[in-house]
Amino acid sequence: KVALIGHSIGTITSICTLGRHGPLVDELVATGWAHVPRVIPVDPSAFEQPLQRASVVFPADFRTRLFYHLPTTDPAIIQYDNDHLANGLPRALMLDVVGLMTALGIGDPAQIKATSLVDRVAVPVLVQLGQYDLIAPSSLAAQEGSFFGASPGVTVQTLADIGHDFNLHLNHLSSWHKIDAWLAATRGG
């Protein structure tokens, strides 16, 4: 059995891949992203300068505010992450994400589905959303499952006291343990 696990842009890419090419894996774990209409709380001007380069890198203060819940993150991890970010996202990929964020802001579910291909994912799906994730907050959990129309089963979990970069928070194991338990239950083991 093979599970595809994506986080944030990795989730967007995983969903698009499964939507375009069919069930290439047995399960999908989608963390840090939601399809519920909303406006991502980022000033659009924050994208102007980074999108001028082939590889998009956002300033440290922007990343810190957007990716971390400070009470449950070691400040040294944030500093290390910001100091050692070796490369950014390809500009073309970031433009695709901006297009999806625009669809979310417009709030048209049909456009969101057409842009993301979420309604074509035909495998069991686990979605995890963080309580303090500014990009995909757990407040969207009740509506998120409805976007996966072709999936035989969708489980949406919320993670308390965590921001967007799940794995760089002190309480990241809550995500890992829930993923492990979901995979075992989905596989009947």
Side-chain angles (χ1 to χ4, degrees), residues 2-182:
V2 176
L4 180 58
I5 301 175
H7 179 74
S8 190
I9 291 176
T11 288
I12 295 168
T13 303
S14 298
I15 288 169
C16 186
T17 299
L18 295 178
R20 182 167 286 127
H21 301 290
L24 303 172
V25 296
D26 300 294
E27 303 97 5
L28 170 65
V29 176
T31 68
W33 188 257
H35 298 86
V36 178
R38 67 195 181 284
V39 175
I40 305 292
V42 176
D43 182 348
S45 67
F47 293 102
E48 290 173 6
Q49 192 66 13
L51 284 171
Q52 299 305 310
R53 299 186 185 121
S55 183
V56 177
V57 177
F58 292 103
D61 61 330
F62 176 85
R63 289 172 36 79
T64 299
R65 182 180 62 80
L66 202 58
F67 293 162
Y68 296 100
H69 177 53
L70 299 180
T72 56
T73 308
D74 181 343
I77 290 293
I78 297 171
Q79 189 65 48
Y80 185 87
D81 183 31
N82 285 327
D83 288 348
H84 293 90
L85 178 64
N87 54 25
L89 299 165
R91 182 177 180 274
L93 176 59
M94 194 64 214
L95 286 171
D96 287 344
V97 171
V98 169
L100 183 53
M101 290 182 346
T102 300
L104 294 173
I106 292 169
D108 179 4
Q111 184 178 356
I112 293 167
K113 291 174 184 176
T115 303
S116 68
L117 307 181
V118 64
D119 60 332
R120 297 184 191 175
V121 174
V123 299
V125 177
L126 170 64
V127 176
Q128 287 187 338
L129 303 173
Q131 179 181 7
Y132 294 106
D133 186 342
L134 296 178
I135 296 171
S138 62
S139 60
L140 305 174
Q143 299 171 311
E144 180 60 14
S146 67
F147 284 85
F148 290 89
S151 173
V154 180
T155 301
V156 181
Q157 299 174 342
T158 61
L159 303 174
D161 297 320
I162 203 162
H164 186 69
D165 268 354
F166 294 1
N167 286 339
L168 297 181
H169 282 74
L170 296 169
N171 54 340
H172 65 274
L173 290 178
S174 65
S175 168
W176 297 6
H177 292 308
K178 288 181 177 191
I179 291 169
D180 188 49
W182 180 81

